[in-house]
Coordinates of all heavy atoms in Angstrom, one line a residue:
M1 N 98.3 75.8 100.2 CA 97.7 77.1 100.0 C 96.2 77.0 100.5 O 95.5 76.1 100.2 CB 97.7 77.4 98.5 CG 97.1 78.7 98.1 SD 97.3 79.0 96.3 CE 96.2 80.3 96.1
E2 N 95.9 78.0 101.3 CA 94.6 78.1 101.9 C 93.6 78.6 100.9 O 93.9 79.6 100.2 CB 94.5 78.9 103.1 CG 95.3 78.4 104.3 CD 95.2 79.2 105.5 OE1 94.2 80.0 105.7 OE2 96.1 79.2 106.4
T3 N 92.4 78.1 100.9 CA 91.3 78.6 100.0 C 90.4 79.4 100.9 O 90.1 79.0 102.0 CB 90.6 77.5 99.3 OG1 90.0 76.6 100.2 CG2 91.5 76.8 98.3
E4 N 89.9 80.5 100.4 CA 89.0 81.3 101.1 C 87.6 80.8 101.0 O 87.1 80.6 99.8 CB 89.1 82.8 100.6 CG 88.3 83.7 101.5 CD 88.6 85.2 101.0 OE1 89.7 85.5 100.6 OE2 87.6 85.9 101.0
L5 N 86.9 80.6 102.1 CA 85.5 80.2 102.0 C 84.6 81.4 101.7 O 84.8 82.5 102.1 CB 85.0 79.7 103.4 CG 85.4 78.3 103.8 CD1 84.9 78.0 105.2 CD2 84.9 77.2 102.9
K6 N 83.7 81.1 100.8 CA 82.7 82.1 100.5 C 81.6 82.1 101.7 O 81.5 81.2 102.4 CB 82.0 81.8 99.2 CG 82.9 81.9 98.0 CD 82.1 81.7 96.8 CE 82.8 81.9 95.5 NZ 84.2 81.9 95.4
R7 N 80.9 83.2 101.8 CA 80.0 83.4 102.9 C 78.9 82.2 102.9 O 78.7 81.6 103.9 CB 79.2 84.7 102.7 CG 78.2 84.9 103.8 CD 77.4 86.2 103.5 NE 76.5 86.5 104.5 CZ 75.3 86.0 104.6 NH1 74.8 85.2 103.7 NH2 74.5 86.4 105.7
T8 N 78.4 81.9 101.7 CA 77.4 80.9 101.6 C 77.9 79.5 102.0 O 77.3 78.7 102.7 CB 76.8 80.8 100.2 OG1 77.8 80.6 99.3 CG2 76.0 82.1 99.9
E9 N 79.2 79.2 101.6 CA 79.8 78.0 102.0 C 80.0 77.9 103.5 O 79.8 76.8 104.1 CB 81.1 77.8 101.3 CG 81.0 77.7 99.8 CD 82.4 77.7 99.1 OE1 83.3 78.3 99.6 OE2 82.5 77.2 97.9
A10 N 80.5 79.0 104.1 CA 80.7 79.0 105.5 C 79.4 78.8 106.3 O 79.4 78.0 107.3 CB 81.4 80.3 105.9
L11 N 78.4 79.5 105.9 CA 77.1 79.4 106.6 C 76.5 78.0 106.4 O 75.9 77.4 107.3 CB 76.1 80.5 106.1 CG 76.4 81.9 106.6 CD1 75.4 82.9 106.0 CD2 76.4 82.0 108.1
S12 N 76.7 77.4 105.2 CA 76.2 76.1 105.0 C 76.9 75.1 105.9 O 76.3 74.2 106.4 CB 76.4 75.7 103.5 OG 75.6 76.4 102.7
A13 N 78.2 75.2 106.0 CA 79.0 74.3 106.9 C 78.6 74.5 108.3 O 78.4 73.5 109.0 CB 80.5 74.6 106.7
L14 N 78.3 75.7 108.7 CA 77.9 76.0 110.1 C 76.5 75.4 110.4 O 76.3 74.7 111.4 CB 77.9 77.5 110.4 CG 77.7 77.9 111.8 CD1 78.7 77.3 112.8 CD2 77.7 79.4 111.9
L15 N 75.6 75.6 109.4 CA 74.3 75.0 109.6 C 74.3 73.5 109.6 O 73.6 72.8 110.3 CB 73.4 75.5 108.5 CG 73.0 77.0 108.6 CD1 72.2 77.4 107.3 CD2 72.2 77.3 109.8
E16 N 75.2 72.9 108.8 CA 75.4 71.4 108.8 C 75.9 70.9 110.1 O 75.4 69.9 110.7 CB 76.3 71.0 107.7 CG 76.6 69.5 107.6 CD 75.4 68.7 107.2 OE1 74.4 69.3 106.6 OE2 75.4 67.5 107.5
L17 N 76.8 71.7 110.7 CA 77.3 71.3 112.1 C 76.2 71.4 113.1 O 76.0 70.5 114.0 CB 78.5 72.2 112.5 CG 79.8 72.0 111.8 CD1 80.8 73.1 112.2 CD2 80.4 70.6 112.2
F18 N 75.4 72.4 113.0 CA 74.2 72.6 113.9 C 73.3 71.4 113.7 O 72.8 70.8 114.7 CB 73.4 73.9 113.6 CG 74.1 75.1 114.1 CD1 73.8 76.3 113.6 CD2 75.1 75.1 115.1 CE1 74.4 77.5 114.0 CE2 75.7 76.2 115.6 CZ 75.3 77.4 115.0
R19 N 73.0 71.0 112.5 CA 72.1 69.9 112.2 C 72.6 68.6 112.8 O 71.9 67.8 113.4 CB 71.9 69.8 110.7 CG 70.8 68.8 110.3 CD 70.7 68.4 108.8 NE 72.0 67.8 108.3 CZ 72.4 66.6 108.5 NH1 71.6 65.8 109.3 NH2 73.5 66.1 108.0
E20 N 73.9 68.4 112.6 CA 74.6 67.1 113.1 C 74.5 67.1 114.6 O 74.4 66.0 115.2 CB 76.0 67.0 112.6 CG 76.1 66.7 111.1 CD 77.5 66.8 110.6 OE1 78.5 67.0 111.4 OE2 77.7 66.5 109.4
A21 N 74.7 68.3 115.2 CA 74.7 68.3 116.7 C 73.3 68.4 117.3 O 73.1 68.2 118.5 CB 75.5 69.5 117.1
G22 N 72.3 68.6 116.4 CA 70.9 68.7 116.9 C 70.7 70.0 117.6 O 69.9 70.0 118.6
R23 N 71.4 71.0 117.3 CA 71.3 72.3 117.9 C 71.1 73.4 116.9 O 71.2 73.2 115.7 CB 72.6 72.6 118.7 CG 72.9 71.7 119.8 CD 74.1 72.2 120.6 NE 73.9 73.5 121.0 CZ 75.0 74.3 121.4 NH1 76.2 73.9 121.2 NH2 74.8 75.5 121.8
D24 N 70.7 74.5 117.4 CA 70.6 75.7 116.6 C 71.1 76.9 117.4 O 70.7 77.0 118.6 CB 69.2 75.9 116.1 CG 69.1 77.0 115.0 OD1 70.1 77.4 114.5 OD2 67.9 77.4 114.7
D25 N 71.9 77.8 116.9 CA 72.4 78.9 117.7 C 72.3 80.2 116.8 O 73.2 80.5 116.0 CB 73.8 78.6 118.1 CG 74.3 79.6 119.1 OD1 73.7 80.7 119.3 OD2 75.4 79.3 119.7
N26 N 71.1 80.8 117.0 CA 70.9 82.1 116.2 C 71.9 83.2 116.6 O 72.3 84.0 115.7 CB 69.5 82.5 116.3 CG 68.5 81.6 115.6 OD1 68.9 81.0 114.6 ND2 67.3 81.6 116.1
A27 N 72.3 83.2 117.8 CA 73.3 84.2 118.3 C 74.6 84.0 117.5 O 75.2 85.0 117.1 CB 73.5 84.1 119.8
L28 N 75.0 82.8 117.3 CA 76.3 82.6 116.6 C 76.1 82.9 115.1 O 77.0 83.6 114.5 CB 76.7 81.1 116.7 CG 78.0 80.7 116.0 CD1 79.2 81.5 116.6 CD2 78.3 79.2 116.2
L29 N 75.0 82.6 114.5 CA 74.8 83.0 113.1 C 74.8 84.5 113.0 O 75.3 85.1 112.0 CB 73.4 82.4 112.6 CG 73.4 80.9 112.5 CD1 72.0 80.4 112.2 CD2 74.4 80.5 111.4
Q30 N 74.1 85.2 114.0 CA 74.1 86.7 113.9 C 75.6 87.3 114.1 O 75.9 88.2 113.4 CB 73.2 87.2 115.0 CG 73.1 88.7 115.0 CD 72.4 89.2 113.8 OE1 71.5 88.6 113.3 NE2 72.8 90.4 113.3
Y31 N 76.3 86.6 115.0 CA 77.7 87.0 115.2 C 78.5 86.9 113.9 O 79.3 87.8 113.5 CB 78.3 86.2 116.3 CG 79.8 86.5 116.6 CD1 80.1 87.7 117.3 CD2 80.8 85.7 116.1 CE1 81.4 88.0 117.5 CE2 82.1 86.0 116.4 CZ 82.4 87.1 117.1 OH 83.7 87.4 117.4
V32 N 78.4 85.8 113.2 CA 79.1 85.6 111.9 C 78.7 86.6 110.9 O 79.5 87.1 110.2 CB 78.8 84.1 111.4 CG1 79.4 84.0 110.0 CG2 79.5 83.1 112.4
D33 N 77.4 86.9 110.9 CA 76.9 87.9 109.9 C 77.4 89.3 110.2 O 77.8 90.0 109.3 CB 75.3 87.9 110.0 CG 74.8 88.7 108.8 OD1 75.3 88.5 107.7 OD2 73.8 89.4 109.0
N34 N 77.5 89.6 111.5 CA 78.1 90.9 111.9 C 79.6 91.0 111.6 O 80.1 92.0 111.2 CB 77.9 91.1 113.4 CG 76.5 91.5 113.8 OD1 75.7 91.9 113.0 ND2 76.2 91.3 115.1
L35 N 80.3 89.9 111.7 CA 81.7 89.8 111.4 C 81.9 90.1 109.9 O 82.8 90.8 109.5 CB 82.3 88.5 111.7 CG 82.6 88.2 113.2 CD1 83.2 86.8 113.4 CD2 83.6 89.2 113.7
E36 N 81.0 89.5 109.1 CA 81.1 89.8 107.6 C 80.9 91.2 107.3 O 81.6 91.8 106.5 CB 80.0 88.9 106.9 CG 80.1 89.1 105.4 CD 79.0 88.4 104.7 OE1 78.1 87.8 105.3 OE2 79.0 88.4 103.5
N37 N 79.9 91.9 108.0 CA 79.7 93.3 107.7 C 80.9 94.1 108.2 O 81.3 95.0 107.4 CB 78.5 93.8 108.5 CG 77.2 93.2 107.9 OD1 77.1 92.7 106.8 ND2 76.2 93.1 108.8
K38 N 81.5 93.8 109.3 CA 82.7 94.5 109.8 C 83.9 94.3 108.8 O 84.6 95.2 108.5 CB 83.1 94.0 111.2 CG 82.1 94.5 112.2 CD 82.5 94.0 113.6 CE 81.5 94.4 114.7 NZ 81.8 93.9 116.0
L39 N 84.0 93.1 108.3 CA 85.1 92.8 107.3 C 84.9 93.6 106.1 O 85.9 94.1 105.6 CB 85.1 91.3 107.0 CG 86.1 90.8 106.0 CD1 87.5 91.1 106.5 CD2 85.9 89.4 105.7
A40 N 83.7 93.7 105.6 CA 83.5 94.5 104.4 C 83.9 96.0 104.6 O 84.5 96.6 103.8 CB 82.0 94.4 104.0
L41 N 83.5 96.5 105.8 CA 83.9 97.9 106.2 C 85.4 98.1 106.3 O 86.0 99.1 105.8 CB 83.2 98.3 107.5 CG 81.7 98.5 107.5 CD1 81.2 98.7 108.9 CD2 81.3 99.6 106.5
L42 N 86.1 97.1 106.9 CA 87.5 97.1 107.0 C 88.2 97.0 105.6 O 89.2 97.7 105.4 CB 88.0 96.0 107.9 CG 87.7 96.1 109.4 CD1 88.1 94.9 110.1 CD2 88.4 97.3 109.9
E43 N 87.7 96.2 104.7 CA 88.2 96.2 103.4 C 88.1 97.5 102.6 O 89.0 97.9 101.9 CB 87.6 95.0 102.6 CG 88.0 93.6 103.1 CD 87.3 92.5 102.4 OE1 86.2 92.7 101.8 OE2 87.8 91.4 102.5
E44 N 86.9 98.1 102.8 CA 86.7 99.4 102.2 C 87.7 100.5 102.7 O 88.3 101.3 102.0 CB 85.3 99.9 102.4 CG 84.3 99.2 101.6 CD 82.9 99.6 101.9 OE1 82.7 100.7 102.6 OE2 81.9 98.9 101.6
E45 N 87.9 100.5 104.1 CA 88.8 101.4 104.7 C 90.2 101.1 104.3 O 91.0 102.1 104.1 CB 88.6 101.3 106.2 CG 89.6 102.1 107.0 CD 89.2 103.6 107.0 OE1 88.1 104.0 106.4 OE2 89.9 104.4 107.6
N46 N 90.6 99.9 104.2 CA 91.9 99.5 103.7 C 92.2 100.0 102.3 O 93.2 100.6 102.0 CB 92.1 98.0 103.7 CG 93.5 97.5 103.5 OD1 94.5 98.3 103.8 ND2 93.7 96.3 103.0
A47 N 91.2 99.9 101.4 CA 91.4 100.4 100.0 C 91.5 101.9 100.0 O 92.3 102.5 99.3 CB 90.2 100.0 99.2
R48 N 90.7 102.6 100.9 CA 90.8 104.0 101.0 C 92.2 104.5 101.5 O 92.8 105.4 100.9 CB 89.7 104.6 101.9 CG 89.6 106.1 101.9 CD 88.6 106.6 103.0 NE 89.1 106.3 104.3 CZ 90.0 107.0 105.0 NH1 90.7 108.0 104.4 NH2 90.3 106.7 106.2
L49 N 92.7 103.8 102.5 CA 93.9 104.2 103.1 C 95.1 103.9 102.1 O 96.0 104.7 102.0 CB 94.2 103.4 104.4 CG 93.3 103.8 105.6 CD1 93.5 102.9 106.8 CD2 93.6 105.3 106.0
K50 N 95.0 102.8 101.4 CA 96.1 102.5 100.3 C 96.1 103.6 99.3 O 97.1 104.1 98.9 CB 95.8 101.2 99.7 CG 96.2 100.0 100.5 CD 96.0 98.7 99.8 CE 96.4 97.5 100.6 NZ 96.1 96.2 99.9
S51 N 94.9 104.1 98.9 CA 94.8 105.1 97.9 C 95.4 106.4 98.5 O 96.1 107.2 97.8 CB 93.3 105.4 97.5 OG 93.2 106.5 96.7
E52 N 95.1 106.7 99.7 CA 95.6 107.9 100.4 C 97.1 107.9 100.5 O 97.8 108.9 100.3 CB 94.9 108.1 101.7 CG 95.2 109.5 102.4 CD 94.4 109.7 103.6 OE1 93.4 109.0 103.9 OE2 94.8 110.6 104.4
I53 N 97.6 106.7 100.9 CA 99.1 106.6 101.0 C 99.7 106.9 99.7 O 100.8 107.6 99.6 CB 99.4 105.2 101.5 CG1 99.1 105.1 103.0 CG2 100.9 104.9 101.3 CD1 99.2 103.7 103.6
G54 N 99.2 106.3 98.6 CA 99.7 106.6 97.3 C 99.7 108.0 96.9 O 100.7 108.6 96.4
R55 N 98.6 108.7 97.3 CA 98.5 110.1 97.0 C 99.5 110.9 97.8 O 100.2 111.8 97.3 CB 97.1 110.6 97.3 CG 96.8 112.0 97.0 CD 95.4 112.5 97.3 NE 95.1 112.2 98.7 CZ 95.4 113.0 99.7 NH1 96.2 114.1 99.5 NH2 95.1 112.8 101.0
L56 N 99.7 110.6 99.1 CA 100.6 111.3 99.9 C 102.1 111.0 99.5 O 102.9 111.9 99.6 CB 100.4 110.9 101.4 CG 99.1 111.4 102.0 CD1 98.9 110.7 103.4 CD2 99.1 112.9 102.1
K57 N 102.4 109.8 99.1 CA 103.7 109.5 98.6 C 104.0 110.4 97.4 O 105.1 110.9 97.2 CB 103.9 108.0 98.3 CG 104.1 107.2 99.5 CD 104.3 105.7 99.1 CE 104.5 104.8 100.2 NZ 104.7 103.4 99.9
D58 N 103.1 110.5 96.5 CA 103.3 111.3 95.3 C 103.5 112.7 95.7 O 104.4 113.4 95.1 CB 102.1 111.2 94.3 CG 102.0 109.9 93.6 OD1 103.0 109.1 93.6 OD2 100.9 109.6 93.1
A59 N 102.7 113.3 96.6 CA 102.8 114.6 97.0 C 104.2 114.8 97.7 O 104.8 115.9 97.5 CB 101.7 115.0 97.9
A60 N 104.6 113.9 98.5 CA 105.9 114.0 99.2 C 107.1 114.0 98.2 O 108.0 114.7 98.4 CB 106.0 112.9 100.2
S61 N 107.0 113.2 97.2 CA 108.1 113.1 96.2 C 108.1 114.4 95.4 O 109.2 114.9 95.1 CB 107.9 111.9 95.3 OG 106.8 112.1 94.5
R62 N 107.0 115.0 95.2 CA 107.0 116.3 94.5 C 107.6 117.4 95.3 O 108.3 118.3 94.9 CB 105.6 116.7 94.0 CG 105.2 116.0 92.7 CD 103.9 116.5 92.2 NE 103.0 115.4 92.4 CZ 101.9 115.5 93.1 NH1 101.5 116.6 93.6 NH2 101.1 114.4 93.2
R63 N 107.2 117.4 96.6 CA 107.7 118.4 97.6 C 109.2 118.3 97.8 O 109.9 119.2 97.9 CB 106.9 118.3 98.9 CG 105.7 119.1 99.0 CD 105.1 119.1 100.3 NE 104.2 117.9 100.3 CZ 103.9 117.2 101.3 NH1 104.5 117.4 102.5 NH2 103.1 116.2 101.2
S64 N 109.7 117.0 97.9 CA 111.1 116.9 98.1 C 112.0 117.3 97.0 O 113.1 117.7 97.1 CB 111.4 115.4 98.5 OG 111.2 114.6 97.4
S65 N 111.4 117.2 95.7 CA 112.2 117.7 94.6 C 112.2 119.2 94.4 O 113.1 119.8 93.9 CB 111.7 117.0 93.3 OG 110.4 117.5 93.0
M66 N 111.2 119.9 94.9 CA 111.1 121.3 94.8 C 112.2 122.0 95.6 O 112.9 122.9 95.0 CB 109.7 121.8 95.2 CG 108.7 121.5 94.1 SD 107.0 122.0 94.6 CE 107.3 123.8 94.8
P67 N 112.4 121.7 96.9 CA 113.5 122.5 97.6 C 114.9 122.2 97.0 O 115.7 123.1 97.0 CB 113.4 121.9 99.0 CG 112.0 121.4 99.1 CD 111.6 120.9 97.8
A68 N 115.1 121.1 96.5 CA 116.4 120.8 95.9 C 116.7 121.7 94.7 O 117.7 122.3 94.5 CB 116.5 119.4 95.5
S69 N 115.6 121.9 93.9 CA 115.8 122.8 92.7 C 115.9 124.3 93.2 O 116.6 125.1 92.6 CB 114.6 122.6 91.7 OG 113.4 123.0 92.3
M70 N 115.2 124.6 94.2 CA 115.3 126.0 94.8 C 116.6 126.2 95.4 O 117.2 127.3 95.2 CB 114.2 126.2 95.8 CG 112.8 126.2 95.2 SD 111.5 126.4 96.4 CE 111.6 128.1 96.8
N71 N 117.2 125.2 96.0 CA 118.5 125.3 96.6 C 119.6 125.6 95.5 O 120.5 126.4 95.6 CB 118.9 124.0 97.3 CG 118.7 124.2 98.8 OD1 118.5 125.2 99.3 ND2 118.7 123.0 99.5
S72 N 119.4 124.8 94.4 CA 120.4 125.0 93.3 C 120.3 126.4 92.7 O 121.2 127.0 92.3 CB 120.3 124.0 92.2 OG 119.0 124.1 91.6
R73 N 119.0 126.9 92.6 CA 118.8 128.3 92.1 C 119.5 129.3 93.0 O 120.1 130.3 92.6 CB 117.3 128.6 91.9 CG 116.7 127.8 90.8 CD 115.2 128.2 90.7 NE 114.5 127.3 89.9 CZ 113.3 127.0 90.0 NH1 112.5 127.6 90.8 NH2 112.7 126.1 89.2
L74 N 119.3 129.1 94.3 CA 119.9 130.0 95.3 C 121.4 129.9 95.2 O 122.1 131.0 95.2 CB 119.4 129.6 96.7 CG 120.0 130.5 97.8 CD1 119.6 131.9 97.6 CD2 119.5 129.9 99.2
K75 N 121.9 128.7 95.1 CA 123.4 128.6 94.9 C 123.9 129.3 93.7 O 124.9 130.0 93.7 CB 123.8 127.1 94.9 CG 123.6 126.4 96.2 CD 124.0 124.9 96.1 CE 123.7 124.2 97.4 NZ 123.9 122.8 97.3
D76 N 123.2 129.1 92.6 CA 123.6 129.8 91.3 C 123.5 131.3 91.5 O 124.4 132.0 91.1 CB 122.6 129.4 90.2 CG 122.8 128.0 89.8 OD1 123.9 127.4 90.1 OD2 121.9 127.4 89.1
A77 N 122.5 131.8 92.2 CA 122.4 133.3 92.4 C 123.6 133.7 93.3 O 124.1 134.8 93.1 CB 121.1 133.6 93.1
L78 N 123.9 133.0 94.3 CA 125.0 133.4 95.2 C 126.4 133.4 94.4 O 127.3 134.1 94.8 CB 125.1 132.5 96.4 CG 123.9 132.7 97.4 CD1 124.0 131.6 98.5 CD2 124.0 134.1 98.0
R79 N 126.5 132.4 93.5 CA 127.8 132.3 92.8 C 128.0 133.6 91.9 O 129.1 134.0 91.6 CB 127.8 131.1 91.9 CG 128.1 129.8 92.6 CD 128.2 128.7 91.7 NE 128.0 127.5 92.4 CZ 127.2 126.4 92.1 NH1 126.6 126.5 90.9 NH2 127.0 125.4 92.8
E80 N 126.9 134.1 91.4 CA 127.0 135.3 90.5 C 127.3 136.5 91.3 O 127.9 137.3 91.5 CB 125.7 135.6 89.8 CG 125.4 134.5 88.8 CD 124.0 134.7 88.1 OE1 123.4 135.8 88.3 OE2 123.6 133.8 87.4

């Protein structure tokens, strides 16, 4: 089972790699930070879309039951 790294753990590991290599790459750190921001936006969008899907499924199930009841009323009226 994979464990999810927290932001601080990932940045600490990256900084440790930089220290061991004797390098520093601010562009890479900025890129990682931008990815985190994009991920947060995607997670918010995902939650919004899941909510909307649930709402649309509820609306669709209500709509699909209405014509069936209207059909039976029409059939009953035609029988009379």
Side-chain angles (χ1 to χ4, degrees):
M1 182 174 166
E2 292 183 25
T3 58
E4 188 174 322
L5 280 179
K6 292 185 176 21
R7 177 186 187 275
T8 55
E9 293 170 339
L11 286 178
S12 294
L14 187 58
L15 290 172
E16 179 65 21
L17 287 172
F18 285 158
R19 188 190 62 74
E20 289 173 0
R23 295 184 56 202
D24 193 12
D25 192 344
N26 288 332
L28 182 58
L29 291 172
Q30 183 65 36
Y31 179 76
V32 169
D33 195 40
N34 287 340
L35 284 179
E36 181 185 4
N37 293 336
K38 288 178 183 178
L39 178 62
L41 291 173
L42 288 173
E43 287 173 343
E44 289 174 16
E45 179 73 3
N46 189 29
R48 185 187 69 75
L49 290 172
K50 283 181 180 179
S51 173
E52 188 173 344
I53 286 172
R55 184 181 56 79
L56 292 172
K57 281 182 178 179
D58 288 344
S61 68
R62 276 186 254 122
R63 270 185 272 147
S64 67
S65 65
M66 287 178 61
S69 64
M70 292 174 78
N71 264 345
S72 65
R73 288 183 196 152
L74 179 60
K75 288 178 185 176
D76 291 342
L78 289 173
R79 282 187 202 133
E80 294 179 7

